[in-house]
Each structure stands twice: as C-alpha cells, then as structure tokens.
Amino acid sequence: GAGVSQSPRYKVAKRGQDVALRCDPISGHVSLFWYQQALGQGPEFLTYFQNEAQLDKSGLPSDRFFAERPEGSVSTLKIQRTQQEDSAVYLCASSFGVARTEAFFGQGTRLTVV
Amino acid sequence: GNSVTQMEGPVTLSEEAFLTINCTYTATGYPSLFWYVQYPGEGLQLLLKATKADDKGSNKGFEATYRKETTSFHLEKGSVQVSDSAVYFCALLRSNDYKLSFGAGTTVTVRA
C-alpha cells in the first residue's frame, strides 16, 4: 500500500479482555516498530522487528504484551488481560533500512480499556 | 540515557505570527535530530531532520538548526498559517540505533 496501515483505528475493551492490533507496513520495508503513546505524551518505544525477527522487545511494559511478525510483513501486537493503564494510542512504523533511515508511521490504534 | 525536552504547550498564535518551539536533548555521541508533526486525525509525519552539528533542516517554511554546543534543535517558522495547527514532536536517534526517543509534544493552534 501507499503507507503504513493500522487496524482497527479505535478499540474499546473491557478490563481483562484480550486485544489484537494489526499493522500493515509499507511493502518491502525491512524494519517495523511499535510505539505506545499515552495521552499528552510522546511515543515510547515498545518493540522492533527486522524482517520476521524480533530483535528488541525491551520496551514492552509487561509479559501481557506480545508482538509477532511471522512472515516479515504484517505485524500483530497482542495485549492479554487488558488493564486501564494500557489505554493509549499504539503506533506502528516501518522503514526501508535498519539504522538511521526514515520511519513512516501509521495513524495508530486508540485503545480504551473500560 | 537519551532524553528530549521540548517546550510545553499549548501554543496559540495568530496567522502570520512567528513560531518557535524549543527542544533540548541529552544523548551520548552524535545523535540525529528530528521534528515530527501530527495533524488532526493523521499519523506522525517527518517534518525535518538534521544528522550532524550545525546542519539545518528545513521543510514547508519550518527550520531547525542542530546546535551541539547548546544541545538544542529549536523549531522555527516565520509566518504560520491555520494549516500549521498540529502537534509537534522533537525526537532523537542515537548513532547506529533504530529507535526514536520523543519529547512530549507541543500543541500549536493558529487562529485566522
């Protein structure tokens, strides 16, 4: 596609529910990132994939968060047993290269846990 | 560690006014510096960047100069338009790294 696509755009989950957020990166982009943006804050790094390999998951806040990119293209961020503090906008970004190349961001998924 | 501090908002201006948003950073080595913009209902877009000291990034009338001596990367525009209303984020990328560190964002509203 022309840009990074994320779905759904909005998700409301009851506390304790599992959610899955999808990211379609730009075709051919090697690198894929997930960021979490709390209200009124800048994005915070969650995890990084190079093709299908998850090279860095240091930003995942707990073991309830899990991300995958099995075929090196589409990625899914899964949050198990959602909590209120998980409410945020989840941003996906992709880039053609590895380090120091421009990252293109999707519009994000706004997750609200009630 | 790496950190980015930017001017708190919100900032409200009249059309054709001068805009400046301050950004300072803490990082080892020689990071690359960025300004991203988020228009209402849209994703983050790269506005401009600078990769080494004294570089000036520019785009859409916005400018920012990488000042290593003051560890700053302030964003400026001489004459803003209503269409510049957005949230602006300063960010850095360490040498040979892949993950961006962002400031908290500054909301700018331009009134006609």
Side-chain angles (χ1 to χ4, degrees), chain B residues 32-54:
Chain B
S32 294
L33 301 173
F34 305 82
W35 278 99
Y36 279 82
V37 60
Q38 190 170 35
Y39 298 105
E42 299 185 16
L44 280 171
Q45 301 175 25
L46 179 63
L47 180 59
L48 53 83
K49 68 179 181 183
T51 58
K52 61 183 187 296
D54 300 325

Side-chain angles (χ1 to χ4, degrees), chain A residues 9 31 33 35 37 40-45 48 55-56 58-59 89 91 98-108, chain B residues 30-32 34 36 38 41-46 49 51 89 93-105:
Chain A
R9 287 291 311 280
S31 295
F33 309 83
Y35 288 82
Q37 185 177 10
Q41 299 297 316
E44 296 278 346
F45 171 81
Y48 166 60
L55 299 186
D56 187 344
S58 61
V89 175
L91 297 170
V98 181
R100 299 177 79 88
T101 56
E102 180 181 347
F104 294 84
F105 283 81
Q107 291 179 295
Chain B
Y30 300 91
S32 294
F34 305 82
Y36 279 82
Q38 190 170 35
E42 299 185 16
L44 280 171
Q45 301 175 25
L46 179 63
K49 68 179 181 183
T51 58
F89 293 91
L93 183 66
R94 290 183 309 172
S95 304
N96 299 316
D97 201 353
Y98 45 78
K99 53 190 175 188
L100 290 159
S101 298
F102 286 89

Side-chain angles (χ1 to χ4, degrees), chain B:
Chain B
N2 304 322
S3 69
V4 176
T5 303
Q6 64 181 99
M7 188 172 86
E8 286 188 22
V11 175
T12 302
L13 302 165
S14 297
E15 231 175 357
E16 299 182 5
F18 182 85
L19 171 68
T20 182
I21 304 175
N22 290 340
C23 172
T24 57
Y25 68 91
T26 303
T28 55
Y30 300 91
S32 294
L33 301 173
F34 305 82
W35 278 99
Y36 279 82
V37 60
Q38 190 170 35
Y39 298 105
E42 299 185 16
L44 280 171
Q45 301 175 25
L46 179 63
L47 180 59
L48 53 83
K49 68 179 181 183
T51 58
K52 61 183 187 296
D54 300 325
D55 264 2
K56 177 186 285 188
S58 61
N59 186 25
K60 298 182 180 180
F62 289 89
E63 291 184 342
T65 301
Y66 189 142
R67 301 285 188 202
K68 190 158 179 65
E69 64 275 14
T70 54
T71 61
S72 65
F73 193 55
H74 305 320
L75 183 68
E76 297 181 337
K77 185 172 185 180
S79 177
V80 293
Q81 305 299 312
V82 172
S83 57
D84 293 325
S85 298
V87 184
Y88 294 83
F89 293 91
C90 187
L92 73 81
L93 183 66
R94 290 183 309 172
S95 304
N96 299 316
D97 201 353
Y98 45 78
K99 53 190 175 188
L100 290 159
S101 298
F102 286 89
T106 303
T107 300
V108 173
T109 302
V110 180
R111 293 181 174 167

